[in-house]
Structures are given as C-alpha cells and as structure tokens.
Amino acid sequence: MKLNYLYAVLMILGFAACQKLDQEPKSTANRSAVFGSEAGLQLYANSFYTMLPGNATTLDAMSDYLAVKSVPSFIQEGAFAPSLSSGWSWSELRNINYFLANCNNPAISLDARKHYTGLARFFRAYFYFEKVKRFGDVPWIGKPLDVSDSALYNGRDSRKLVMDSVLADIDYATANLRPNLDATRSTVTRDVAFALKSRICLFEGTFRKYHTQLNLQATAADWLNNAAAASKVLMDKGSYTINTAGGLGNSYRLVFTNPTPVATEVLLASICDLTLNVLNDANWWWTSGTYGAKASFTRTFINTYLNLDGSSFTSNPNYKTTLFKDEVKNRDLRLKQTIRSGNYKRISGGVQVAAPPLFSYTFTGYQPIKWTLDDMYYDAGALNINSIAMIRYAEVLLNYAEAKAELGTLTSAEWAATIGVLRARGGITAGLTTLPTVADPYLIANYFPDITSPVILEVRRERGIELCAEGLRFSDILRWKRGPLMEMEWNGFYVPSLNTPMDLNEDGVLDVAFYQGTRPTPAVAGVTYVDVSSTISGKVNSQKLKDGTSGELTWMNEISRKWNDKQYFYPIPQNDLLVNPKLGQNPGW
Amino acid sequence: MKLFLMHHKKAFFIGTFIFIQALITFLPQSVYAGLSFNYQQTIPSKISGKVLDENGTPLPGANIIIEGLTQGVRSGSDGSYTISVEPGTYNLVVSFISYKTQKVSGIIVGAGQTSIQNIKMLPESATILNEVVVVGYGTQKKENLTGAVDQVTAKALENRPLPNLTLGLQGVLPNLNIRILDGKPNQAPTYNIRGTTSIGQGGSALILIDGVEGDPSLLNPNDVQTVTMLKDAAAASIYGARAVFGVVLITTKKSVSGKTSVTYSTNYASKAPVARPDFVTDGYLWSKMFAEAFVNGDGSFPQNINKTQKFSQAYLNEFKKRSESGAPYNQVEIDPVTGEYTYYGSTDFYKELYKNSNAAIEHNLSVSGSGEKTSFLVSGRVQKQDGLFRYNSDDYDMKNFRARGTVQIFPWLKIDNNADFSVMTYFNPLNVGEGGGIWRNIGDEGHPGSVMFNPDGTLSFSAAYTVGDFWYGKNGIATSRQVFRNTTGFTSNFFSNKLHVNGDFTFRNTNNNTEQKRVQVPYSTSLGVINYVGTTTNDLGIDRRETQYLANNLVADYEDKFNDKHYVKFMVGYNYEQSKYKRLAAQRNGLIFDDASDLNLALGQAITTGGGYEMWAIFGGFSRLNYSFKDRYLVEINGRYDGSSKFPSNQRFGFFPSFSAGWRVSKESFWKVKPSIISDLKIRASYGSLGNGNINSYAFQENFGISQSALILGGVRPQRTSQPAVLPNGITWETSTTTNLGIDLSMLSDKLTFTGDAYVRNTTDMFTVGLTAPAVFGATVPKGNYADLETRGWELTLNWKDKFNIKSKPFSYGIRLTLADNSSKITRYNNPDKLLSDYYEGQTIGEIWGYTTAGFFKDQADIDASAKQGPQMRASPTNIWYPGDIKLEDLNKDGFINIGTNRVSNPGDRKIIGNSAAHYIYGINLNADWNGFFFSTFFQGVGKQDWYPSTESEIFWGQYNRPYNNIPKWHVGNMWTPENTNAYFPRTMSRAASSNTNRTLGIAQTKYLQNVAFIRMKNLQIGYNLPKKWISKVKANNAKIYFSGENLWTYSPLYKLTTGIDVENTGPSDQVFNPGGNSGDGYNYPMLKSFSFGLNITF
C-alpha cells in the first residue's frame, strides 16, 4: 500500500520531468524575431557600425608627412615579412552576408527591406574597399559560407571583379537607402553612400590610372567619372557647405574639436558624449610621450601651406632658413589651426597658458593640434568629448576636383566651387576663381616629379593640407603610386645655432635650446634643452641638426626607410597562406 | 557500450519498468510485515546481556541501540544492559569510543522471552578497511569497494582557520586537483579529478552536498563529516552525465545519539601574504633604471612616466644630485613658474596597499542530541576576515546556520529535515582610473619616485590611479551571496531491514548580488588645482542574480545474504533536478553625490540594463547491483539513463553503464601469509563509460545575443545584435571511458595500509572547434566531435599508524603519504598538417614550445656571425641588434630565427622545452598524540612543473615588460652590461616582454623557463587536550587548545631566483575580474599565511 503511493508519485514526477526537458532560451532572440520586423533589422544593422574606424585620427601615423617616435616596420628596410602581416579578417563580412541572406521576410515592407539591404551593402562596399586597398586581389564572397563549402579554399578574385561588385553594392545603397537626413550625423544615409562612392571611385580611378602594371588604365576614366558624378549629386543637392561659423581662423578647427558634429559640413562622424559615456583618446594619443606615436609634421610638408596672398611659401628664396616664429606668420590660416604656433594657448585648471611647441613631445617642432582639445584635462586617458568626423563635405569637393582634374575637364567655375571655397576658408585671397597655370617647382621637386599639370599639383597640395591627419594620406600615396614619399626625410624647423634659446611663440619667454654634449650652464629657467649630438652614451642619437651645429632638425635618419613596389600591397599573412596556399602571395613578398 | 539516441519516452518506461518489477515482487510481503508489527502485544519481551572488552572485563557506558528503533540504552557499571522490545527480529548495534562497533543481526525475540546477548568489544585498530565509505546513493564498507573511491573525514579540516572549505581540501586527496587562482577569500575554484578532462566541452567534478549539487565554498567546514571522491566511471556513473569527470560527495554531520552535547569552538588568526613582491623603492635608482630601459626599448628619452608624472633629463640629474648628497627623499616641490608639483619620492606602494597583518576570527557553536523518537543538530558559525588592504579594506564575512532534525514516525519510517542558510559578503575595492586590478594599476602608475600625498593633503596623480583610490575609499564592488537550502527526506525499511526505500526533496535559492560604485577620485598636480580620475565612470551598478533549484531523489534497495555465501544488494532509483536562473541588472551614471548608494540618486543618461535567464532540467533512472561471493569475489554493476534539457531532443537521453570487480586475495584458502605481515589484499578493476553532460544550456540553438552598442547612433547607444555562432551539423555526446586498476593492501597487523590506483581515461568525440578554416569563413569554426584525448595517471596512498608507550603513556602517531600524477595526450584532432597554432594529434597537454637561448650577443662580430634574429625577433625599436641582446639558437641552421611553417614537422627553431602541467602532486601528513598533546602537519607540493612567465608579468619581468613597471630587486645588478656579461637578463630594455609576437623575452625560451615545483607546509597544529580534572570543574567533557598555522613554509627551485614571487600564485592577472585572461602573471591577490590560536570545548 505504502509503496503503491510511492509508485504513483514516481509516475507523476516522471511525466512532469520529461516535459521540463524542453527548454528554450529566453534572454536571447531567435532568427525569426530578429528578421521578422523592421525593429529587428535595425537591431541587427546597429552591429555594422563597429566596422567604421571610430578614431581615424591615428591612422596617419603611417604617412609621409608625420614624423613619429619609431619607424613603422612596414617601411623599414628588411623589417617586415608576411609573418608580421595582418588584416586578413573576414568576420565583419560574414555578419553582413548573414544579414543579406535573411533579410527577406515579406511581412516587412519592401521599402524597409530595401533600405536595410542598402545599408548592409553600403557596409559590404566599405569592407571590400578596405580589403582591396590593403591586399589588391581578394576573394569575393557574397553569402555566408558553410564550413564545408569548398569556396573557402578558392584563390583570390581579380581586382576588377571585386571592385565591380563593390560598385554594384554602393550603387544599390545610393538608390535604396531612404533619402532622409540624420541630423546627428551618426548613421549612414543616402548622402553618406554618395560620399563613400565618390571616395571609392576616386581611389580606384587614380589607382588604375597610375598603376599601369595592372593593365586597367582603360577603365580609369569610368571610375573617375563615377567619382565626379557621385560628388556632384551632393554638391547639387545643396544640403552641405564648408563651415565658416566660428570665424576666419577658427572655423576649420571647429570641425574637428566641436563636441557635436558640425552638421553643415560633416556627413558622418563618430560621436562622443560624456553623458552617454562614449569618449575618444585623441588628446592622450596626440599629447602623451608614451601612449601615441608622438607624431609631428615634417617641414617639407609644412612648406606646402601657401602664403595668405596665394603665393607659394617656398618662392621666398630664404624659406629654408626662416625661423619657426616667422614662418608661421602670414600663412594659410589652416596652418595655425593644425599645429601649435603663434599665440596658441592651452587651458590648465581653467587658466589659459601659453603653449609653444613642446619638445618633450615633438621631434620636428610642428606639433599637431587638429584633433586635440585645448584643456589639458583631456590629456590623461580617453577623455575627449569631440566627435570625430569620418566623412566631410570638404573631401567630397576635393574628390570632385581631383577626379575632374585627372580627367582634364576641371573648369574655373568648378575650381572656384571646390578648391576656391576651401582656400577662402584658409583666408587665402588670390587664385580662388581661376584654374592655376603655374606648376609649383617645389611640389614637383619634393612630391610629384612626374606630374606636370598645375591643376593636378594644386589639387593634391590642397588635399594634403585640408585633409591632413584624417587618416586618408597613406591611401592617397598608394593610388598616386608615390610610395617613395615614405622615404622622405623627417625634418623639423630651422635651428640657426647651438646653445641659443629660442622664443617660439614670441611671448617673451624662451622655450627651447639645442646643444651637443654637455648642457649649457646656467640653464635658463623654463627652457627645454635638447641634445642634438650625433651619439649619446655610445648610441646613435636620433635627434640631430642637418648641418651638424645648425640647420633643420632631423629625426631618426639613421633608420633607413625603404619603399619597394611590393609595398603597394600588404603581404597575405603567413598563417593564412599556410591554411590556404591557393591564395598566392602578393608579388615581391 | 554506447546506447544513446534512445527516445526519451522509451527510456523512461524502461527505467520505471525495472522499478515496478522490484516493487511488485516485494509488495505483498511488506504489507504483511507492516501488519505484524502493530497487532501482537502481550507479555513484555527483552534483550539483555553484558558488554565486555577484549579481556572480558565489563565495559560500562557503551551505547546499545536497536536498529530502526532509535531507542537505546547505556551499559551499567557492570557492563550489563536490558532493553524491552516487542516480539520480533532485531539487529543490535553496540558502540563505544575507540572500540569497533559491533552488530548482532537477526535476534529473534518471542513473546515474553528474553534473548541474552553478551557482546565482546574489540579495540579499534589501525585498520581502515572497516571504515564506512560514502558512495553514490548509499554507503559501503571500504573492504567491499570495487570502484576507485577515496575519502577523508572531518579530521583533515579540524582546527584550521579556513575562510572556505575548498581551501582546506586542497591537496588532501590524491588527484583531487583544486587550482586556487589567488588568495581572495571568496574564491570558488573548480574541482578537478584526475587531470585534463576534455579540451572540448570541458567539465569538472560534480560536487554533491548531502546528495544534492551545491557550492562547497558556502559550506561551514565544521559541518562536514566526510568528503568522498568517486574517481572512476564505475563509482561515479550512478550520477550520470554530469559525473563524467568524477564526483565529490560532501556529507554533513548528523546528530549524535544520546544526551545533548554542546560544542563551542573559536579561533583567532593573524594573516599576512605568503610573499610580497620585493621591488626597488629607491626613487632615484628606479628613475635612473626607468630612463635606461625606456631609451633602449622605446627609442627616446622619456618625457613622462606613463601618464601621471613628468620626466626629463633635468629631473633625473636633479634627483641624482639629491641622492648623492644624501638629501632626504619624499620631497615634494612646487615649480615656481607653473605651480606644478615635482616629486623626489621613494614610495613603497605595496606598503601602502597591504596591512602588515590582517586578523580573522571564527566562532562555531553546535548543539546536538536525541530523544526517544527524535534527534536534532543545530549549528552556527560566524567567520570574519579583515581585509588585507590598508585602505578601503576588503572585509570578508561568512555566516552559516544549519538546523537538522529527525523524527522516527514508525519503526520503519523516519523523516529527516536538513535546512541550512549561508551568507557570504565580500567587498572588493576598485580603481576607477583605468579599471582592472590594483596590482596592474600599481605596475602602471605606482612609481616609487612619486608620493601618496601632496603637502596640502591632496592625492598625487600616481596615487589617485593606484592606492590613493583605496584611500579615498568609495569605489568597489560589494558582493553578497546567500544560499538557503532545505532538504526533506524519509528513510524507511521493510522485511527485517532488507528493503529500504529512501527519498528526498530539496529546494535551494541562491542569490548572487553585487553592487558596484565608481565615483571620481580627486588629485592635484598643481597647487590649488583639483582634477579627477574616473570622470567617465561616475556610476552605480546593481546586479541581482537568483537561482532556484529543485531536486528530487527516490531510491530503493534490497539486500540479502543467501547460504552465508551469496551477498546481493540491488538498488534502483530516480532523480530529477531543475534549475532556473534569472538576472536583473541596472547601471546608471551621474551620482548626485559621492556617497549615494541608491539608483534613485544616479541622474545620468548612460543607463544600462540587463536581463538574463537560463533553465535546465535533468531526469534520470538508475540502478546498481552488488554481488559478492564469500566476501571474496566482489562485483558491482551500475547503470543510468540520463536525460538532459541541454541536448537537442533527438540526443537527449543516454545510457551509461559501468562494471567493477574486486578480488580479496587474502580471503582465499590458499592464502597462507600471516595477518601480521599482510592482513588484507584486494585487487580491483573497473570499466565504465559516461557521456559528458557538462555543457551550456542552449548550445545547440541559434542565439542572437543582444547587448548595448558602444557607439552613439542617432543620439542614443542603441541595443545591437549580430550573427549567431555557426551551428554544427549533427553532433553527438562526448564520451569518457575509464579503465581503472587498483590494489588495497594492509600489512603488519593493519599498521601499514596502501591503496594504489592506475587509470586510463579516454575522452572521445570531444566537442572541439574544427580544423581552422580559412579566415574568409568569417566566424568561429563550428564545433564538432573532432577530437580524442587520453589521460593516464595513477595515485598512491600510504598510511602508517602505530603506537607505543613513552613514560607508560601511549604515544600514537601516523603518517599519510599521497602521490598522484597524470598526463594527457591528444590522440585525435582535426589538424592533419599539425599546425602548431592548434591542438594536434600526439600533443601532450601543457607542452611549451620555445626557442633555445644561446646566450647574449657579445659584440658586433658575434651579431654579424650569428643567425639573423630579425624580422621574427625584435630587440629594439629600430630593429638594430646590440651586444647584450638575447641570442637564440638557430636550430634548423637556415641562418634565420623563424617559425618554419609553424608545423610539428617544421617548427623552425622551436622545440618542446617544458610542460606547464603539474606533475607528481603529493601530500604528506604527519600526526602524533601523547598524553593529551597532539601535533599534526600537512605538506603539499608539486614534483615537476614549468612556468614561462607571461607577458605583462611585472613581478617577473619588471621593466623588461613596461618601462614604468616596478623593478624586482633581484634584477638590480643582474642585467647585462659590458662590465657584467654574465648577468641573468639581457641589456635593459622596456617592452621586451610585453608582447609575445616578436619580442625577445615575450616568447618562450629555455633560459627563462622556470621550475615551479614546490613543497609547502599547508598546515601545522600543536595542541593540548586539557585534563579531565580541570575541565570537569566547568562541567565540560572535553576541551582543547591549539596553535594552527597555514602556509608557513615553502620551498621551490624558483626561490633560488627570488622569494618575492609566490610559487603557488603565478597565474594570470586577477581571474575574478578577467576570467580567462592569459597575461599579467602574478598581478594577483596574494595567498595568505596565518598563525592562529583556538579553543574547542564540548559540554
């Protein structure tokens, strides 16, 4: 009897238990929930944005115009090998392809599906653009592959095939993204797609034009025309202008330091906001002696900033021996918004303090301030609240001007509407409305020996200045096929003599002095003394003067930087090639 | 062996069918037997007799009870006793302290009769064979065991000031491997039995507390009666799929029979770190070395010391001048121009961080007793350990309460209720400057040349990043864990105690809550100017996790002996468990003031909310058959059908059988060896196979995890999701098959006992990631049943017990030695090319591939003549090699240091240089008793183990890691210079050990591979049992005082290099905060040593 009860209880428990063995997750979503509503598509699409370089300000650490604390091994002779290569990562692509393969629920309006498909394809175009820039030929993969799919072991597809697909993707995005504007400039809109298209097409057009070994020159014009056309859409639309708020001499830098994106000019930005606890590390990176690359501009590049009257600074016969305090005067107003100079001041504990170039940071004297906030509070860690512009209207104008210049069809009116506008913001008063006619010998000698067109030369000058330290320079060098620029000497301002303290910002306080061997005594209070001996305790000193005891500062000339044609593409990383030998290695690696 | 894939309903019916058979067979008899108890009552019947000792002299005070009847008596002064009973058949159990318990079965008492039973007691000898060992759903005598089972009693845990039970179990049982990650008192490490389990799903031992899964770190160590380890599949399989890698059974104490007794114990301990890093604290020496390391490794003269201090040649020169002139350190000066502070300090941040010692105190009270039909036990404990941190102390507090009682409702039915409640709280202070553990923060910003405080009392910038945050004292995580558990069970017996039916029902609520506060910390770098660190994390986070767990067991067994030869015991049972976990978390920034502690006072817009849910259920039917013939041949068969919600429905059920057998050779008639030489010899063998049920819930479903984006999109930080993990196409259970051979030996009249086991455990079809797919796959390669692993090992236990007289008082002593080893090899893996970036067939788990260090470059000629080290290696920011840099051996003589094709067949210049797994793990226990004094000590150690210090390991690499790291004192004078070419380290250089891709010290190599074998005195006790005549004055029965020390002494070959590193605490950085991290070895809470005094008194 007693055991009968037990048995009955057992049976009941047993059946109850079996049902409990079916358990479903409740704290995660399933596929039908994510792809069954527009909100779900939005939820998923939010994951694409992590692909964008939140803080692109550091990318130019590898460029010709910034001297950094150590030579990137990629351009150091004998230092780079496929074993050190990286960037062969494809998870972002799969994330997009998975979305595209599932964004097909008829319960969602066609318009919405097209919009989100356009968004995904925008990011796929972005993804492949980056891959092609880095590696050249890459495999084209248009769907989430099964792990047993033999396509995983395919070789690479031709650049032509891949870039045609990229164009198809970005064209789909420009046609199907909803045309509404995002006032916060934080999300991808149809306008952003046009801007990206202009960037991609300019890259591809010029790349094909100058990299003749690809045998794709014949198609270069199509891409350039596409670049111009995409830019033109935005120019005609009139939604954007070059920012002039903040006044002459400030409006340029405001675009980079304002907490919220300057909506007139910025199309897409990485947003920072203290209240939402999203911050960037620009001050830390650009001011710390250890954290960042200690990047500062070379004199060769600073020399390209025009005088206010539109003339070339280097046309002055004494430009080579002009002192820092003088050479920053009377120049394109963007110069003083780009480097510490003149009466630039920082804020320490709420008080304005003079801020001449600081030789505990800079190697050349041309210390960047484009992205940094003036308050020193932001220097110690990732504390910056300025939103970082990723695509802005100035680039669109430059893309237009360059594409047309390369096509040989840029008119004076178009010059005025593009380069002219940008130079006007720099306070330049002449040459704004007519095409240049004189090829600047300085640009030819130092930068583009093969270019004879004054228009192309000036467009490239303008692009270098306007977009400096925005992470686009290295890809410009690649597409112009001007890799040897990476070998350019890292030089700094002119030092007339040793042991002579200099006042860099003319505030009456001496700032820096250069010496060799023993530091002059007595030391002048407040002066940073920099040893420019050829060796210090038996080791080569990286900081020297060009003519021994006077001349331009030089930095790290003892390390040879070398550009070979193979460097136009990164090598396929050693381990990835071992896994799939069919990928083949890029030439020369 | 594998009978999986059974449909669950079918399995259920088969499971219950066995049970029904058993019940139907015995049901009628039981009803009859039940009736027979209640309706025959005439003249009183009795059992009486005398209890005598081994010499025949009467033994007064012995306990005599009748099994199943709770009522018991004590023998009188002449040893006699009488018990009145109903007519029937009885089993009599007689016990007396230090005598073997005697049992007389089957006493038939007729109506009105008196059965005379004189009992002769034999003293308890050294034998451990009669020990009762806890096994799955029951107990067994050790002599009858056939599986590999090991057990320790409460003795191993006595008198030790343990913040939690797990610390006390470390090293106590051979091959029970408990890796304690660091010294935090709230550590809850996993229990491993017999080495690497699976490189796929993983899995550790199942821990059952009184038969129900539980967390031992929340258990009162004083409540523990026994801890049993079921090592092989035969012993563990009764628990099914979760027991695949062994079971640890912890049973808690039951009430003692007889009169009420009260035991109070207390101890007070003073604790301190086992090892403190021995860092350079001289500000000038540190600064000088910093500059040298920085110039060589970072390529220029430093302008700052990381983020918090300015640096220049002028500063260094000035510091040198002061140092050489003997001027006092710890000076803070104010720059007259800028108003900034300049520090010429000599600060020992670790001294600021730790107290010299921290106290711990424990009180434990237990009351227990029994009446005629009831018994009870109530125990409570308070354990408090002061934090080790000088400021913002990390106090630990644990309270345990247990109430247990039984009621004998009928002679055949007893109800038992066992409830316990535990609360653990721990406060873990935080650093808001950069987050992460304090040790890494000190490594980054605790520069000796800085100071804690500025002259105006504000914190320095260095301090605010490090210990100053603790001094400010507001930031931290308060952890609280609460467990309430109640088990109600019944035990019943039928047919003269041959059939037992036991059942229990348990519910348990576990709350695991944290509250985290991070407010900004003020500091000053210029006179009168206050800045803050932690401005981005000014927030309060509250996280509540609750797990509701239910378990239900029902077990019946029948045992009988036929013809005095055939002993049979059959057991069948049912088990159901379910667990539901829910989480609610919220975090918000913008605290209205620093001391705000409620979310209502957080006003910011950075709001994070989180949920969480998991539910699983398992259901199993099991049975066991034991058979022995003449106590000579022993056989045991176990089987269990197990179903788990964690597997997809077509794979949900598995059947897991096991077999074991034993042969007591010494019971054979041909065995002529004298018992005084070998008293008992048993050979055991077992074989069993189990599926691995240690798997995450929902692992087979496509899950889209939703989290908050780190980016601001459209003015908010929206939620996001992304592609789910790629699911495998068709998988099956991982299976672990264990073969075990064992021997139990008693020698020299049971003075010496030996137990040895050797095993092979094959874990097959391990659920591992597939062959590395080309990166274009774009996701983690889905897992599949791609790998096999073989673990071989053995363990030995040797016990010696003896006594003799010293000054006519008995001196008894014992020695217990345990030794265990295991090693695992991959026997199958989906890596045909044997790429070294992945597991490969033939790989021994733990092997370290590395280069051979040839020495240091002597001069330029040596550099030119040697194999080219770059670009694979890098010794300076300029890629230029200098004398004093590491020279690696070009093993393959190709002129370059390289990794070949990174395959086993072509590893470049690397080879296997060591193994990071612990080998020859041993324990030594010595104890002695004499005239009331007792002594015991326990040593534990590892015979062989290698350690290659990881990247970011400041305690080992010092400034070779990061230039601003602390310098271990043993580095000074031990770095290569042209004058000191025989140094241990290469020329000074920062960042040589901060990356393991191409930096000369970051990659494993022979010269810096450390031997971390060790022996540690885990515990030492000296105590005295106070004489009866003293304690009888306070009416106590028993009282003792003792000294107990933990971790008092250690030796390791590593200590030839330095004693500043605790050899047992070389694991990666703070695993509580960075679970799974693999760098920053030694950035950890230190293990503690302690001295304690205690008192234990029983009334």
Side-chain angles (χ1 to χ4, degrees), chain A residues 2 7 13 17 20-22 24 29 31 46-47 76 79 91 94-95 98 186 275 277 279 360 377 559 574, chain B residues 20 303-304 307 412 535-536 552 574 576 606 617 645 652 701-702 704 714 719 721 723 777-778 878-879 899:
Chain A
K2 291 170 294 200
Y7 180 62
L13 289 172
K20 291 280 192 182
L21 296 186
D22 290 312
E24 292 293 329
R31 198 193 298 196
N46 287 338
S47 70
Q76 193 178 338
S91 54
R94 188 188 181 88
N95 193 40
Y98 185 94
S186 57
T275 59
N277 206 2
L279 303 166
S360 60
Y377 158 78
I559 308 298
Q574 176 178 285
Chain B
I20 296 164
Q303 312 299 331
N304 305 294
K307 293 188 284 295
W412 55 271
T535 47
T536 64
N552 172 218
Y574 145 96
Y576 173 74
S645 67
R652 185 159 289 162
Q701 282 151 306
E702 216 176 38
F704 288 77
Q719 300 302 105
T721 191
Q723 59 170 333
F777 180 59
T878 55
N879 283 332
I899 60 164

Side-chain angles (χ1 to χ4, degrees), chain B residues 97-108:
Chain B
I97 195 149
S98 76
Y99 282 84
K100 287 185 197 166
T101 298
Q102 298 289 325
K103 185 171 171 183
V104 185
S105 302
I107 302 168
I108 299 164

Side-chain angles (χ1 to χ4, degrees), chain B residues 64 171 199 360 474:
Chain B
I64 302 106
I199 57 162
K474 299 188 190 300

Side-chain angles (χ1 to χ4, degrees), chain A residues 292-329:
Chain A
K294 292 181 77 172
S296 38
F297 289 103
T298 64
R299 193 178 203 216
T300 310
F301 173 71
I302 295 297
N303 284 343
T304 66
Y305 281 77
L306 297 173
N307 293 322
L308 281 175
D309 63 5
S311 62
S312 169
F313 171 73
T314 51
S315 57
N316 172 359
N318 298 323
Y319 80 90
K320 284 186 177 166
T321 53
T322 306
L323 294 178
F324 176 81
K325 66 182 173 67
D326 298 320
E327 68 184 350
V328 297
K329 291 178 193 157

Side-chain angles (χ1 to χ4, degrees), chain B residues 51 66 100 257 323 366 392 625 653 692 778 827 923 940 948 1001 1094:
Chain B
V51 183
I66 290 179
K100 287 185 197 166
S257 55
S323 173
S366 87
N392 212 12
L625 175 71
F653 279 78
N692 184 359
T827 49
Q940 195 222 328
Y948 196 83
L1001 296 177

Side-chain angles (χ1 to χ4, degrees), chain A residues 208-499:
Chain A
R208 291 184 182 197
K209 180 174 174 183
Y210 291 105
H211 288 259
T212 49
Q213 82 283 2
L214 296 176
N215 286 322
L216 293 169
Q217 306 93 299
T219 55
D222 294 345
W223 286 91
L224 293 170
N225 278 319
N226 266 321
S231 308
K232 194 76 166 52
V233 170
L234 296 173
M235 289 159 70
D236 290 347
K237 192 178 171 198
S239 302
Y240 306 94
T241 56
I242 294 302
N243 175 55
T244 51
L248 205 62
N250 291 317
S251 56
Y252 174 69
R253 185 157 173 252
L254 199 64
V255 177
F256 313 107
T257 55
N258 207 51
T260 54
V262 175
T264 47
E265 182 170 338
V266 175
L267 281 86
L268 183 67
S270 165
I271 312 294
C272 292
D273 185 340
L274 183 60
T275 59
L276 291 173
N277 206 2
V278 177
L279 303 166
N280 72 70
D281 63 356
N283 269 50
W284 192 19
W285 198 87
W286 289 99
T287 66
S288 159
T290 49
Y291 175 65
K294 292 181 77 172
S296 38
F297 289 103
T298 64
R299 193 178 203 216
T300 310
F301 173 71
I302 295 297
N303 284 343
T304 66
Y305 281 77
L306 297 173
N307 293 322
L308 281 175
D309 63 5
S311 62
S312 169
F313 171 73
T314 51
S315 57
N316 172 359
N318 298 323
Y319 80 90
K320 284 186 177 166
T321 53
T322 306
L323 294 178
F324 176 81
K325 66 182 173 67
D326 298 320
E327 68 184 350
V328 297
K329 291 178 193 157
N330 204 31
R331 301 283 289 278
D332 183 335
L333 293 173
R334 287 174 292 183
L335 180 61
K336 71 165 193 157
Q337 299 171 70
T338 302
I339 59 168
R340 292 185 175 205
S341 61
N343 63 351
Y344 173 71
K345 293 207 170 49
R346 299 205 70 196
I347 297 163
S348 175
V351 182
Q352 282 209 327
V353 292
L358 190 64
F359 273 80
S360 60
Y361 180 87
T362 182
F363 301 115
T364 66
Y366 305 106
Q367 186 175 351
I369 56 167
K370 187 163 166 175
W371 293 106
T372 56
L373 300 174
D374 293 340
D375 196 321
M376 293 183 188
Y377 158 78
Y378 298 105
D379 294 359
L383 300 169
N384 277 52
I385 56 168
N386 48 332
S387 293
I388 306 288
M390 292 187 282
I391 299 180
R392 59 191 181 97
Y393 188 54
E395 185 203 341
V396 174
L397 296 182
L398 285 163
N399 291 347
Y400 183 79
E402 187 175 341
K404 296 288 268 186
E406 291 285 354
L407 289 163
T409 58
L410 190 69
T411 65
S412 284
E414 287 167 340
W415 171 270
T418 55
I419 311 292
V421 170
L422 295 173
R423 288 193 175 170
R425 176 162 68 176
I428 292 170
T429 51
L432 302 181
T433 53
T434 51
L435 288 174
T437 51
V438 182
D440 184 347
Y442 180 86
L443 288 181
I444 293 174
N446 290 287
Y447 284 94
F448 310 112
D450 301 328
I451 303 293
T452 51
S453 154
V455 179
I456 293 178
L457 284 172
E458 288 304 319
V459 167
R460 288 188 182 181
R461 178 208 303 273
E462 190 60 27
R463 189 174 176 93
I465 289 167
E466 175 69 27
L467 300 179
C468 69
E470 293 185 42
L472 298 169
R473 181 68 170 185
F474 188 65
S475 60
D476 287 344
I477 289 172
L478 294 178
R479 64 193 178 86
W480 293 332
K481 210 182 181 194
R482 283 297 298 142
L485 289 177
M486 299 301 290
E487 298 172 357
M488 194 190 297
E489 182 178 57
W490 287 346
N491 56 354
F493 66 52
Y494 178 73
V495 178
S497 60
L498 293 177
N499 304 334

Side-chain angles (χ1 to χ4, degrees), chain B residues 401-624:
Chain B
F401 178 77
R402 177 180 301 274
R404 186 166 189 172
T406 58
V407 183
Q408 190 83 38
I409 295 178
F410 302 113
W412 55 271
L413 180 66
K414 189 160 83 175
I415 302 281
D416 177 49
N417 194 75
N418 186 358
D420 74 272
F421 180 58
S422 298
V423 190
M424 184 279 283
T425 59
Y426 180 66
F427 180 78
N428 197 126
L430 281 182
N431 282 83
V432 296
E434 213 163 298
I438 179 70
W439 306 279
R440 171 71 191 257
N441 282 300
I442 290 179
D444 284 351
E445 301 290 1
H447 321 308
S450 185
V451 297
M452 271 287 282
F453 301 104
N454 295 313
D456 63 355
T458 54
L459 289 168
S460 74
F461 198 1
S462 281
Y465 251 106
T466 58
V467 187
D469 193 333
F470 286 20
W471 174 83
Y472 192 60
K474 299 188 190 300
N475 298 315
I477 301 176
T479 308
S480 147
R481 301 191 62 198
Q482 296 184 2
V483 177
F484 177 68
R485 166 182 153 158
N486 189 79
T487 301
T488 305
F490 69 91
T491 55
S492 61
N493 64 77
F494 310 92
F495 315 131
S496 312
N497 206 21
K498 283 178 181 163
L499 173 68
H500 308 98
V501 178
N502 302 335
D504 59 54
F505 176 80
T506 299
F507 75 87
R508 187 183 68 215
N509 263 28
T510 308
N511 289 300
N512 202 345
N513 299 334
T514 59
E515 293 196 9
Q516 170 182 287
K517 183 149 83 168
R518 301 182 293 186
V519 298
Q520 49 193 20
V521 177
Y523 67 91
S524 181
T525 52
S526 301
L527 184 62
V529 181
I530 299 289
N531 282 314
Y532 296 89
V533 297
T535 47
T536 64
T537 53
N538 184 28
D539 57 21
L540 193 65
I542 292 180
D543 199 329
R544 306 235 176 276
R545 298 154 198 251
E546 181 178 24
T547 307
Q548 295 178 336
Y549 169 89
L550 299 178
N552 172 218
N553 293 301
L554 196 56
V555 183
D557 69 69
Y558 178 81
E559 66 179 321
D560 209 348
K561 202 162 190 178
F562 306 101
N563 300 336
D564 218 29
K565 280 182 200 157
H566 306 279
Y567 168 80
V568 177
K569 183 171 179 179
F570 180 70
M571 186 261 278
V572 61
Y574 145 96
N575 162 250
Y576 173 74
E577 290 172 50
Q578 71 171 52
S579 172
K580 181 156 61 169
Y581 159 82
K582 278 190 170 179
R583 169 174 179 250
L584 178 64
Q587 178 172 295
R588 188 163 184 171
N589 67 348
L591 292 184
I592 191 167
F593 64 102
D594 277 0
D595 290 316
S597 60
D598 191 277
L599 269 183
N600 284 348
L601 304 184
L603 313 177
Q605 291 309 306
I607 302 165
T608 317
T609 58
Y613 172 89
E614 185 193 3
M615 178 150 176
W616 55 261
I618 58 157
F619 170 57
F622 50 84
S623 64
R624 175 166 62 211

